Amino acid sequence: DIAWWYYQYQRDKIEDELEMTMVCHRPEGLEQLEAQTNFTKRELQVLYRGFKNECPSGVVNEDTFKQIYAQFFPHGDASTYAHYLFNAFDTTQTGSVKFEDFVTALSILLRGTVHEKLRWTFNLYDINKDGYINKEEMMDIVKAIYDMMGKYTYPVLKEDTPRQHVDVFFQKMDKNKDGIVTLDEFLESCQEDDNIMRSLQLFQNVM
Amino acid sequence: MAAGLATWLPFARAAAVGWLPLAQQPLPPAPGVKTSRGDEVLVVNVSGRRFETWKNTLDRYPDTLLGSSEKEFFYDADSGEYFFDRDPDMFRHVLNFYRTGRLHCPRQECIQAFDEELAFYGLVPELVGDCCLEEYRDRKKENAERLAEDEEAEQAGDGPALPAGSSLRQRLWRAFENPHTSTAALVFYYVTGFFIAVSVIANVVETIPCRGAARRSSREQPCGERFPQAFFCMDTACVLIFTGEYLLRLFAAPSRCRFLRSVMSLIDVVAILPYYIGLLVPKNDDVSGAFVTLRVFRVFRIFKFSRHSQGLRILGYTLKSCASELGFLLFSLTMAIIIFATVMFYAEKGTNKTNFTSIPAAFWYTIVTMTTLGYGDMVPSTIAGKIFGSICSLSGVLVIALPVPVIVSNFSRIYHQNQRADKRRAQQKVRLARIRLAKSGTTNAFLQYKQNGGLEDSSSGEEQALCVRTRSAFEQQHHHLLHCLEKTTCHEFTDELTFSQALGAVSPGGRTSRSTSVSSQPMGHGSLLSSCCPRRAKRRAIRLANSAASVSRGSMQELDMLAGLRRSPAPQSRSSLNAKPHDSLDLNCDSRDFVAAIISIPTPPANTPDESQPSSPGGGSRAGSTLRNSSLGTPCLFPETVKISSL
């Protein structure tokens, strides 16, 4: 009987969903995290308390991520960029970001060396994680960033602004003009640019 | 501010690192953080009961009392705790809101007391969580209705005061709608009621056969034909009164078209029209037949009573709202009637001298039987006819008796449900609108902060603090992030208005012509990317020229004030346009005049009205602080701004 089967299926689905939400993840010990990251114990405590409060289950999934970003950047659509960021955070590609991933990434971004930061950024831009950034990947990223600006910008956003931005970027980064940027080219070009170097120090101070 | 957004600030800053290699301009420095004391436990003493919580927890909602610096007013330095002289039981719910992000409504407490506590702690009632929202609203509505009833009962005695200087029309309308306002209205109300009754009774009485005293004629005449003049006079009098009343109402109605279309006015027209048609139509026989039927419409005068009776109105509305149920009943009855009439007709077809001459003729039998009336004027004679006849009467009981209670209960349920659904829909709309407002509040907060010139400088903390609304640490970080994004993409956030204007002004050159009159040379129309950044440099040059000009014009005091108030006149003209959606509507025309003033008046004064304009008429602490500052400056500045604003 189809109706009965459907009913059973729905019930099972609901049970599965309940099960998934009840899975709780506990992070490794405080000492281990302190050793692995550049944060102090107190900072880790503050971070974890906030994290646990927002996600009692201990993991952040992509939807939550996108919601968080939507609240930070209410002007435009931050979901695409949030998607790429989520993939960058989720190093093990499990589909959810645990506290350790969270803290590790933050440790790199806020307290890491220039090298580490740049490598992380390269990893972010490399959407398919093949070790190279090509123009399409860069276009996706740049478009996602421009999406965050929303519609009401000054000056008015034109159709080819992202493309021009990508072209400028590639001109700077692609040393051998082969259409892709490797990690070494990226590192080299960024280190040559004073602006970037200075900006990298920006997020040093506070969590 | 959403729940726990501050927790995710590091996430968002991680995002910013991803923009760094793409940024073509240097990103702004991060806001200087005052010595963060780390996380500490705060003690909140509410009437003796101590609540302890992390400072971070309270900081989650910076626009409430506990989350902002307002709580410092309640800080007791001796005991090192924040003391509130309020209800500790209610405070539990408030604190739980900070902890969980959901505001629950206590079941046992009075809803008004709860509301007062919310108002004190700066929490909006919209924050009540979904689990408790419905009950909260219901209880609040109940309370409000009860209070309104009491108020109405009070008011009914005095009568609401009429706005002074209301025209005759308005007073007349009020007298019509609310007869209790004045004695004249009451008298009029009763007089019309009396005449409606008289008219209806006359209509009824004139058909009664009354026997003449003198002769016993074979034919008894109805009274209407025996005393035609009397009835005619009465009819005329009534119609005159009704016509007068209708015309008066038409004159007094605030919206004549709407009045003409309303049900009551239609009833009025229908009630008096037959009389006039009767006057106009000549008395010849073939038309008088039609005229007689018109008189039937005089009975509609009875509906005029519905103005006098609340109950009638409610009944009418009830029927209207129950129309679909009634329609269904009618439809099912019709189906049953047709079926049974057909069956009875064919069952009785064989008999001679039968009443069931056709199916429509059998309809009458079916209706009379199904409603269990049973007149007996049509009876089946065949056995099959009798069997089907009895089935018909039994099913009639079912068909009629069953749906009626269902309809009644359905009606009652649907009526209440509709009311609740409409309520909920309206509330949902309001809720969404408020959420959108809050959302736009955060976007506007950034835009406002920009136009206050907070972005351009990083030094001079104190001067800035005076004119820029003090923001929480979290807001600072958030705005810094948004600023970084702007710098990365080389575009700025604006509001809808400026955007549509920018679109309207066909070329980028159109905008620059409005920005300042000094920069008359056209901007490079190259690619937007390359031109937007040099444009900012150009504007900075203009700002220097402006301030230089103002030095030459005014006193040193003015310059200090200018330097103190304004760090970025660059987005100035745009900010005056930005101010439009933030300030009240009546400012819209002012700012347009301002722009005109800016173009026509030489540059130096353009600085000052531009700066003061968003601040002086605007409300809030921003205005207060800026006004304070400007009053410290030269008093001569104000007359100028006033003069220009009067344009």
Side-chain angles (χ1 to χ4, degrees), chain B residues 231-447:
Chain B
F231 280 106
F232 183 71
C233 289
M234 215 178 302
D235 208 17
T236 314
C238 294
V239 168
L240 277 177
I241 301 261
F242 295 152
T243 320
E245 181 204 349
Y246 181 70
L247 289 175
L248 273 180
R249 273 185 207 266
L250 190 61
F251 165 69
S255 155
R256 300 231 168 97
C257 310
R258 206 156 49 97
F259 175 74
L260 282 176
R261 282 184 303 193
S262 74
V263 176
M264 287 312 300
S265 84
L266 281 175
I267 291 178
D268 288 338
V269 167
V270 166
I272 60 180
L273 221 45
Y275 177 79
Y276 289 110
I277 294 179
L279 279 185
L280 296 172
V281 163
K283 279 234 188 312
N284 52 353
D285 286 322
D286 30 326
V287 190
S288 65
F291 167 65
V292 162
T293 40
L294 264 185
R295 289 170 122 202
V296 159
F297 286 102
R298 288 187 303 174
V299 80
F300 275 89
R301 287 179 194 164
I302 209 171
F303 283 114
K304 287 165 69 87
F305 267 129
S306 66
R307 271 213 189 93
H308 298 247
S309 156
Q310 175 87 334
L312 261 181
R313 273 205 296 263
I314 289 180
L315 182 65
Y317 174 71
T318 305
L319 287 177
K320 193 167 63 154
S321 66
C322 198
S324 64
E325 269 63 41
L326 289 175
F328 172 68
L329 174 61
L330 218 60
F331 177 69
S332 61
L333 263 181
T334 316
M335 260 177 39
I337 287 172
I338 292 178
I339 291 173
F340 277 109
T342 317
V343 166
M344 288 308 295
F345 172 70
Y346 282 111
E348 289 287 305
K349 201 159 186 252
T351 356
N352 49 352
K353 283 201 294 194
T354 183
N355 282 335
F356 295 83
T357 48
S358 65
I359 295 187
F363 279 167
W364 172 244
Y365 168 76
T366 320
I367 291 176
V368 166
T369 315
M370 281 183 87
T371 52
T372 69
L373 275 176
Y375 287 135
D377 54 350
M378 282 165 83
V379 279
S381 26
T382 59
I383 299 196
K386 286 183 179 158
I387 292 176
F388 286 121
S390 39
I391 295 178
C392 176
S393 68
L394 285 175
S395 66
V397 168
L398 276 177
V399 169
I400 299 217
L402 268 185
V404 169
V406 172
I407 284 184
V408 167
S409 76
N410 239 15
F411 157 71
S412 145
R413 181 179 56 87
I414 290 175
Y415 181 72
H416 287 298
Q417 207 177 41
N418 258 350
Q419 279 203 329
R420 217 175 283 145
D422 285 334
K423 242 194 296 178
R424 215 180 296 134
R425 243 176 282 136
Q427 285 160 9
Q428 189 70 1
K429 268 194 245 170
V430 169
R431 251 186 124 188
L432 286 176
R434 288 223 190 150
I435 290 174
R436 242 181 285 126
L437 198 66
K439 190 174 164 201
S440 70
T442 46
T443 61
N444 283 346
F446 181 59
L447 294 172

Side-chain angles (χ1 to χ4, degrees), chain A residues 7 16 22 32 35 51 66 74 86 93 101 111 117 119 130 141 143 149 162 174 176 187 197 205 207:
Chain A
Y7 164 74
D16 285 334
M22 298 218 265
Q32 274 173 296
F51 188 84
K66 289 189 174 165
F86 186 79
Q93 303 296 314
D101 302 327
R111 302 282 167 93
K117 288 186 199 177
R119 182 155 336 124
D130 62 353
I141 297 270
K143 258 192 66 56
M149 288 295 294
D174 192 8
N176 55 1
L187 291 174
M197 283 295 112
N205 46 8
M207 274 199 302

Side-chain angles (χ1 to χ4, degrees), chain A residues 49 53 69 72 125 154 165, chain B residues 11 18 22 39 60 478 492:
Chain A
R49 277 206 298 269
N53 219 325
Y69 273 98
F72 269 106
Y125 292 162
Y154 172 74
H165 206 133
Chain B
F11 256 154
L22 286 168
D39 212 1
R60 285 207 198 121
H478 189 198
E492 289 181 9

Side-chain angles (χ1 to χ4, degrees), chain B residues 172 175-176 178-192:
Chain B
L172 213 54
F176 277 134
N178 200 354
H180 301 284
T181 45
S182 66
T183 350
L186 211 55
V187 163
F188 183 75
Y189 176 76
Y190 282 127
V191 161
T192 44

